[in-house]
Amino acid sequence: MLARHLRAEDPSIFPSTPWDDVPDLELPTPPLREGLGRAHLKVSTQVPLAQSYFDQGLRLLHLGWGAEARRSFAEAARQDPQLAMAYWGLALTRGAGARFAVDRADAIHKALSLSEGVTDVEQRYIVAATFLADKGPANGRHGFVREMEALVDRFPEEPEARLLLAGFLSDGYEADGRPGAGQPYAQALLRELLRTHPHHEGVHHAWVQVMVESGRPEAALESARRLRLLAPRAGTALLGSGRLLLRTGHTREAREVLEAVVAADDAWLSQESLPESAAPAAGLAMRLLVQACTDAGRYGEAQSWARRLRQRVEQVTPHLGQALVFAAGALSGAHLRFGFWRAAAELRVELAPEARVAERGLLTAMETYARGLRALETGKLVEAERVCDELDALHPPLSEERKADNRVLCPRDVARVVELAACELRGALEARQGDFARAEASLIRASRLERRLRAPGPTAFSRPARETLARARVRAGREDKALELAEALVKERPGSGHAWFLLAEVHVARGAFSEAASAFAAFLECWRDADPQLPELRRARAFILGRGGVSVEAALPGNVIPLRALENVSC
């Protein structure tokens, strides 16, 4: 989708993509592939292969695979050197940032020089793109939108224009849940496209991307499932489907889709004889698989995916600190989610001497935070406070470092997640010390920091701040306020066994034993394929049996857990 590509909004394990430094017309020729959809835009060429490669580039651009789209547009330009729209595509696929500003400008100026005599619709596409290529996505936004609106008004039946405009306008959501400035407009365009072009792969991918972080992701569930049929070989599109399925609680189905992402990327790497660092989506898919497995209580499988990711990273030459730290974080996160603090604190990662400040800072913070949790959970509160001080000292210097460009790990983003971890750990410590007013303040601040993390940065390595806040409120005797948080977490992540377990514990603290049994039963449904030795399973089963020996099914009265919530639990 255009917005995510131009603004580099997807976190990346590897800081570069294949052929970044290869000039456009020297890129290797890609094959024409099946399984990428059927998007088509008639352009002014008499060369059939040029049209075919242009269409493939357009499909890949819609599906978020910018680097591969660039190869297809480049081949279209080689097949027909007079094809203006091929250079239009090359300008858009160069992505965001100053690094490729000259390449973007050269491509769009070439398109302009070839645009005399092409159709009116092509000329309008090219003129609109000049604003992005010359001024960048931020400064060129108004001009691009106005020109695309004029194109849509002049050619109302042109789906590609509406889709590109909607994809560019998708501004996401603010920390308080309000939509970005262009989000409602983009959604209106996409709803109409879903009605008029129900088999367009780009429309469904854009709808998934727009809705996945909204308050109603289930609205894109059908699109997420259709993408598996419409674009089965586009790992970037399947990745969006997997994220949405995970977000809506369809954890088992999400795991299947995310595994398909890894398989699709591996097949492409094999065909192209490329290193594993070139995979566009497999790295993030593996990190999401770790999350999906932890949601389902599959600790062993979560470790397996995290270790597989690390093995892929360690095979890359030269050694990349950013990739190593991200891979180590996935394994550490799995350990932390199940309470294995010692394992999380012993990452055993050796960074090269030339590793960046952000990479070293993130690795140090992850190890320090896990050490602090271990001290806290073993009652060593003085040591835990010392660790909080260490974390507090880590993030200010990172905030002062120079901002990174493109896909390189940014020190300021690392500073944000380190500050969040320090705040969450200190709040948990204050609750343990009985200072509930300070704990409440620290954990509310951590929750706000958590909501404001930038999408391109590293994911939070600390425990979810609102979970910690809910437990602190239970400890303080504020069970009703804890219940509000627990119910909100279940609503947001209905497939997460951890969220249901927290809700059950809050109900127990309230003395609402029927509701607790119901929540424990929903937890067991989420964890029905979980590793059998996990203590949470024993706790849930013992509670349900202790309530009169009732079965799991009997503990699920429809008047206790909303049916809508139960429908989403398909772990």
Side-chain angles (χ1 to χ4, degrees):
M1 195 171 68
L2 195 57
R4 301 183 75 87
H5 175 65
L6 290 176
R7 297 167 196 164
E9 289 186 356
D10 278 323
S12 175
I13 287 184
F14 298 104
S16 61
T17 57
W19 312 297
D20 271 352
D21 299 318
V22 178
D24 289 338
L25 298 186
E26 295 178 19
L27 289 167
T29 299
L32 289 171
R33 303 179 186 277
E34 298 293 329
L36 299 175
R38 297 183 295 179
H40 169 70
L41 175 60
K42 176 64 179 172
V43 291
S44 298
T45 181
Q46 300 301 314
V47 182
L49 269 179
Q51 178 70 65
S52 297
Y53 273 108
F54 176 85
D55 284 339
Q56 179 163 284
L58 182 67
R59 292 163 193 161
L60 290 163
L61 182 63
H62 285 324
L63 296 172
W65 197 349
E68 192 68 357
R70 181 173 165 245
R71 288 177 71 200
S72 292
F73 286 129
E75 185 58 27
R78 281 195 293 262
Q79 291 290 330
D80 183 353
Q82 302 304 307
L83 179 53
M85 287 295 284
Y87 293 93
W88 166 88
L90 288 170
L92 290 181
T93 53
R94 262 312 194 176
R99 180 181 175 190
F100 302 116
V102 172
D103 296 322
R104 291 196 301 269
D106 288 347
I108 202 62
H109 293 155
K110 180 70 171 178
L112 281 168
S113 70
L114 295 172
S115 63
E116 185 177 354
V118 304
T119 63
D120 184 23
V121 68
E122 290 172 273
Q123 288 184 1
R124 290 174 184 270
Y125 274 117
I126 292 167
V127 169
T130 59
F131 288 93
L132 300 181
D134 288 340
K135 298 182 179 182
N139 295 329
R141 175 187 175 87
H142 179 73
F144 176 79
V145 170
R146 292 295 293 145
E147 291 296 330
M148 290 299 292
E149 287 176 332
L151 196 164
V152 170
D153 181 70
R154 178 69 179 81
F155 301 97
E157 301 304 318
E158 175 57 59
E160 305 305 323
R162 285 181 285 158
L163 179 54
L164 287 167
L165 177 58
F168 181 79
L169 288 168
S170 302
D171 285 335
Y173 288 82
E174 298 177 10
D176 60 1
R178 290 184 297 177
Q183 194 81 338
Y185 185 7
Q187 289 183 20
L189 288 168
L190 289 171
R191 285 194 188 93
E192 179 62 16
L193 283 168
L194 286 167
R195 185 185 67 81
T196 59
H197 293 77
H199 303 297
H200 194 304
E201 67 287 346
V203 173
H204 289 287
H205 178 60
W207 186 239
V208 166
Q209 296 293 349
V210 163
M211 299 306 295
V212 66
E213 298 301 334
S214 75
R216 52 187 194 286
E218 64 280 354
L221 195 54
E222 181 182 353
S223 289
R225 287 168 171 156
R226 279 201 180 192
L227 274 173
R228 295 186 71 181
L229 302 175
L230 295 173
R233 295 192 181 181
T236 50
L238 296 179
L239 182 66
S241 294
R243 292 172 76 171
L244 188 127
L245 288 163
L246 189 58
R247 172 87 165 75
T248 54
H250 296 81
T251 312
R252 180 177 294 175
E253 194 175 353
R255 294 206 314 269
E256 293 174 1
V257 173
L258 292 168
E259 288 174 10
V261 172
V262 178
D265 272 16
D266 285 350
W268 177 72
L269 293 175
S270 177
Q271 291 169 358
E272 298 287 345
S273 300
L274 289 169
E276 291 181 330
S277 61
L284 183 51
M286 288 184 178
R287 292 165 71 193
L288 289 172
L289 277 163
V290 173
Q291 179 184 326
C293 290
T294 57
D295 280 353
R298 301 171 69 87
Y299 175 53
E301 188 177 343
Q303 289 186 83
S304 176
W305 279 111
R307 290 190 175 114
R308 183 173 168 185
L309 174 60
R310 183 163 176 174
Q311 287 170 1
R312 290 172 75 102
V313 166
E314 290 174 343
Q315 290 171 6
V316 176
T317 304
H319 238 31
L320 295 173
Q322 178 169 318
L324 272 174
V325 174
F326 277 23
L331 183 57
S332 176
H335 292 320
L336 286 177
R337 204 65 175 104
F338 291 94
F340 296 104
W341 321 118
R342 182 192 294 271
E346 297 173 355
L347 297 179
R348 296 187 177 88
V349 175
E350 294 292 334
L351 296 180
E354 63 272 17
R356 300 181 183 90
V357 172
E359 296 161 358
R360 292 194 179 279
L362 183 56
L363 179 63
T364 300
M366 288 192 298
E367 294 173 334
T368 304
Y369 174 78
R371 183 160 47 84
L373 279 182
R374 182 182 172 193
L376 186 64
E377 297 304 321
T378 55
K380 299 177 181 178
L381 302 190
V382 174
E383 182 181 345
E385 186 150 12
R386 187 164 54 247
V387 170
C388 287
D389 292 339
E390 290 178 33
L391 286 170
D392 282 335
L394 268 177
H395 62 81
L398 288 165
S399 299
E400 296 170 3
E401 288 287 329
R402 183 178 178 181
K403 185 178 179 180
D405 194 14
N406 295 319
R407 293 150 59 95
V408 174
L409 187 60
C410 180
R412 297 181 188 180
D413 287 337
V414 174
R416 291 184 181 98
V417 299
V418 175
E419 184 179 7
L420 164 60
C423 208
E424 189 273 336
L425 184 61
R426 189 170 292 280
L429 172 62
E430 289 163 343
R432 186 65 62 88
Q433 292 170 330
D435 193 345
F436 298 117
R438 284 183 179 273
E440 179 90 4
S442 295
L443 292 169
I444 288 176
R445 180 166 174 259
S447 299
R448 290 171 179 167
L449 289 170
E450 194 171 54
R451 287 198 300 269
R452 292 172 182 166
L453 291 181
R454 285 189 341 118
T459 55
F461 54 81
S462 52
R463 296 175 301 186
R466 284 181 296 166
E467 284 191 18
T468 308
L469 178 56
R471 297 184 192 282
R473 285 177 173 175
V474 168
R475 188 182 287 268
R478 302 179 66 204
E479 292 87 357
D480 290 342
K481 285 294 184 180
L483 180 63
E484 292 176 8
L485 284 175
E487 288 178 335
L489 288 166
V490 164
K491 183 179 179 181
E492 290 175 17
R493 296 294 303 280
S496 171
H498 299 281
W500 283 106
F501 192 85
L502 173 65
L503 179 60
E505 288 187 315
V506 172
H507 280 310
V508 170
R510 294 174 61 241
F513 299 125
S514 176
E515 289 90 341
S518 182
F520 273 130
F523 158 76
L524 290 172
E525 175 63 16
C526 278
W527 278 29
R528 64 177 180 267
D529 298 320
D531 295 355
Q533 75 277 12
L534 294 173
E536 293 90 340
L537 292 171
R538 294 195 297 272
R539 161 89 164 119
R541 289 169 181 153
F543 184 89
I544 290 174
L545 289 172
R547 299 303 301 164
V550 297
S551 67
V552 169
E553 291 76 10
L556 287 169
N559 63 344
V560 175
I561 295 181
L563 291 176
R564 183 179 177 185
L566 287 176
E567 287 170 359
N568 282 334
V569 179
S570 59
C571 308

